[in-house]
């Protein structure tokens, strides 16, 4: 296990290096001048030159990149061009909100996918299976921003049950926090749950056709016990893989959903940074997202061994 963890950690280093290069290059391709955006259209050429010098944007691009790498080696993500705040501090402020939203949406997704996927797989071709398939495909096809607007219209405008937007920190008022996070979590959870349902149904159908499942049934083991004890556990490996990918994507910032519901999370910070061309913030956030995806991928690999003891970390 330790060797496996060490190998994954070493493999993550070149991956992150490639990410830094791509992020740095792509961010420099963004149109717009950060100095002009900050000073406005009426700024004099001298003022623009001075501000670009203060931002370090007048240095060669290669020098800027190497300086960024040198800062990263000291776990320093740099400072915002707008207010000189620490990029790491900004991310640390916003990430817990997005993490909470991601966990809530995945809980909703799993709560929807487990019963739907199992019932659908146990009765293939039935009315239940067709209904679940129709709903799952609808959930996959429906854009999250459209679902979010529909939920706001129904539960906030028509029924007035839940505020349309807003955010209260979990530590200040847990009940109100969960109430405000419910609609954005459902908006994200429905799509993820639909994807998980399809994967769970397909994986479970394949496992249920295996010889050892038929042997268990021939021995007189009841159907529910066969599914829970023998089939479901083996069918979960591809589902866990998809779940990890979904979590990695959500932690990277549910940009549109956070904008719709005014959730001050990772995604909103990224949008604000892009609009103001705050290059260090954009670079730091994308790099953090990539690191989070690698961490989630590593945890998923560890879960394989817990779900199926036959999996070995060679």
């Amino acid at each position: 296990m330790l060797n496996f963890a060490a190998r994954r950690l070493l493999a993550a280093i070149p991956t992150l290096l490639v990410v830094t290069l791509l992020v740095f290059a792509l961010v420099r391709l963004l149109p717009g001048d950060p100095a002009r955006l900050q000073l406005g259209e009426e700024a004099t050429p001298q003022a623009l030159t001075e501000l670009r010098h203060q931002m370090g944007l007048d240095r060669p691009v290669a020098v800027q990149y190497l300086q960024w790498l040198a800062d990263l080696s000291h776990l320093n993500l740099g400072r915002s061009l707008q207010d000189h705040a620490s990029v790491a501090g900004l991310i640390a402020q916003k990430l817990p909100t997005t993490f909470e939203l991601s966990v809530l949406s995945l809980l909703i997704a799993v709560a929807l996918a487990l019963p739907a996927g199992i019932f659908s797989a146990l009765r293939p071709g039935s009315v239940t299976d067709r209904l679940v398939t129709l709903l799952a495909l609808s959930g996959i096809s429906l854009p999250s921003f459209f679902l979010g607007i529909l939920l706001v219209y129904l539960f906030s405008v028509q029924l007035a049950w839940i505020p349309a937007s807003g955010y209260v920190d979990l530590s200040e008022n847990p009940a109100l926090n969960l109430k405000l996070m419910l609609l954005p979590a459902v908006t994200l959870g429905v799509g993820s749950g639909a994807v998980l349902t399809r994967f769970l149904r397909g994986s479970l159908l394949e496992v249920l056709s295996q010889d050892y499942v038929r042997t268990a049934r021939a021995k007189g083991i009841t159907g529910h016990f066969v599914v829970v004890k023998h089939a479901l556990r083996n069918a979960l490996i591809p589902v866990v893989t998809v779940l990890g990918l979904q979590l990695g994507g959500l932690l990277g910032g549910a940009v549109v959903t956070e904008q719709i519901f005014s959730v001050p999370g990772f995604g909103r910070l990224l949008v604000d940074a892009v609009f103001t061309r705050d290059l260090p913030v954009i670079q730091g956030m994308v790099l953090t997202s990539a690191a989070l995806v690698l961490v989630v991928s590593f945890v998923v690999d560890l879960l394989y061994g817990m779900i199926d003891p036959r999996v070995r970390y060679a």
Side-chain angles (χ1 to χ4, degrees):
M1 176 71 77
L2 290 178
N3 290 335
F4 172 75
R7 286 199 304 274
R8 288 299 301 269
L9 185 61
L10 290 174
I13 294 175
T15 303
L16 289 176
L17 277 175
V18 172
V19 171
T20 62
L21 184 59
L22 290 175
V23 170
F24 190 87
L26 292 175
V27 164
R28 269 23 184 212
L29 294 177
L30 284 175
D33 182 357
R36 183 169 293 281
L37 285 172
Q38 188 165 332
L39 294 178
E41 294 297 329
E42 304 300 327
T44 63
Q46 182 181 359
L48 288 172
T49 302
E50 290 177 358
L51 185 55
R52 289 192 190 106
H53 179 70
Q54 292 174 11
M55 291 176 171
L57 299 177
D58 57 346
R59 294 179 296 173
V61 175
V63 174
Q64 294 180 42
Y65 177 66
L66 292 175
Q67 181 60 53
W68 185 46
L69 285 185
D71 292 339
L72 288 178
S73 66
H74 296 90
L75 302 180
N76 178 12
L77 294 177
R79 291 193 169 275
S80 166
L81 296 180
Q82 297 300 313
D83 54 10
H84 305 292
S86 166
V87 174
L90 290 173
I91 293 173
Q93 289 176 9
K94 303 298 182 182
L95 196 55
T97 303
T98 298
F99 182 76
E100 179 194 356
L101 178 60
S102 302
V103 171
L104 288 175
S105 61
L106 280 189
L107 288 176
I108 291 172
V110 172
L112 293 173
L114 267 182
I118 292 173
F119 281 124
S120 183
L122 292 178
R123 297 172 177 81
S126 65
V127 175
T128 303
D129 179 34
R130 293 175 182 175
L131 180 61
V132 168
T133 300
L134 176 64
L135 292 175
L137 292 177
S138 301
I140 295 172
S141 307
L142 197 63
S144 60
F145 73 88
F146 186 67
L147 177 61
I149 293 172
L150 285 180
L151 291 175
V152 167
Y153 178 74
L154 177 61
F155 292 103
S156 301
V157 178
Q158 293 297 322
L159 300 175
W161 288 354
I162 302 175
S165 62
Y167 177 77
V168 173
D169 194 84
L170 183 63
S171 60
E172 293 180 11
N173 190 332
L176 183 57
N177 170 273
L178 292 177
K179 188 176 182 180
L180 291 171
M181 294 290 267
L182 183 59
L183 289 185
V186 171
T187 300
L188 294 172
V190 167
S192 299
V195 173
L196 290 176
T197 299
R198 295 297 296 159
F199 271 89
L200 179 58
R201 177 187 181 276
S203 180
L204 194 55
L205 276 175
E206 183 179 351
V207 172
L208 288 173
S209 64
Q210 298 294 317
D211 290 341
Y212 70 90
V213 174
R214 285 196 290 268
T215 302
R217 284 173 169 165
K219 289 180 177 178
I221 300 176
T222 58
H224 293 299
F225 190 79
V226 169
V227 172
V228 175
K229 180 70 177 178
H230 298 284
L232 183 59
R233 192 167 185 172
N234 291 326
L236 282 179
I237 288 183
V239 178
V240 168
T241 303
V242 176
L243 195 63
L245 293 174
Q246 298 274 347
L247 179 60
L250 291 173
L251 288 176
V255 178
V256 178
T257 303
E258 290 183 356
Q259 286 291 111
I260 292 174
F261 293 99
S262 299
V263 177
F266 210 63
R268 284 196 66 187
L269 178 61
L270 180 61
V271 171
D272 293 341
V274 170
F275 277 128
T276 58
R277 303 297 187 271
D278 201 337
L279 308 185
V281 175
I282 300 173
Q283 292 169 181
M285 293 189 68
V286 176
L287 185 62
T288 303
S289 299
L292 289 173
V293 169
L294 291 176
V295 170
V296 171
S297 175
F298 174 67
V299 172
V300 167
D301 285 344
L302 293 181
L303 287 176
Y304 288 161
M306 296 174 64
I307 295 172
D308 188 350
R310 294 172 299 176
V311 175
R312 293 288 181 266
Y313 303 105

